[in-house]
Amino acid sequence: MILFVILLVLVFFGQVAEFFIPTIPWMYNAHVYIVPVFVFFGATVLPFPLMLTLAFVAGFLLDALTAQVIGSRVEISVGSSIVIYAALAGIMHGLRPLFIRGRWEIHCVVCGMCTSAIVLAQYLMITFRRGYVFFSPEIWWQIGGPGIMAVLISPVVFWILHWVAQVTGYPYLPSSRRGEYE
């Protein structure tokens, strides 16, 4: 439970910190998202109910901080990010056996893909409600850039969180595998 509480705290502070992380100019001002990396790590190590709770909290915070209401129209409904996070975290949770066997690099790539999927889903919700779908190179960078950054930062974040899991005594690895990662 200690690791779960730590991940909840990281999700909360990470969501706030994302507003202060500068955009990447050479990627057409793409944002860096760190919360999905925390959530997707949690999806690989936590049991299913705790993974869903973490996805719920992350999705709720994202919706609460980025709700799009223009006039009387709601462009991103509250609850939509919860569903997106839960579905994508479920995919990562399904790949958990690979993570336990030490195949962490697959999860880093999937983490990037899922991070981009979150941004793509939000973009599609907005464009469908506005009545048109438009893609340009700038938009593709805005969608793919966060995924690229997630792939780059996830190995470091996963390694740090793996160390935190060891320090807190969280036993997500089988006892025969624990000595290999220490």
Side-chain angles (χ1 to χ4, degrees), residues 32-117:
V32 177
Y33 294 106
I34 56 174
V35 172
V37 178
F38 299 145
V39 172
F40 297 139
F41 176 82
T44 61
V45 299
L46 296 173
F48 191 74
L50 293 180
M51 180 272 302
L52 283 179
T53 304
L54 188 64
F56 174 83
V57 170
F60 179 78
L61 286 173
L62 181 61
D63 285 342
L65 293 172
T66 61
Q68 295 279 336
V69 180
I70 298 177
S72 63
R73 291 183 22 202
V74 176
E75 293 197 338
I76 296 180
S77 302
V78 175
S80 59
S81 294
I82 296 169
V83 173
I84 294 167
Y85 263 114
L88 296 173
I91 292 170
M92 289 292 281
H93 190 74
L95 297 172
R96 184 176 186 205
L98 292 172
F99 190 79
I100 290 172
R101 282 189 257 152
R103 300 302 311 225
W104 59 269
E105 66 278 355
I106 294 168
H107 291 79
C108 293
V109 172
V110 175
C111 180
M113 293 168 50
C114 289
T115 301
S116 288

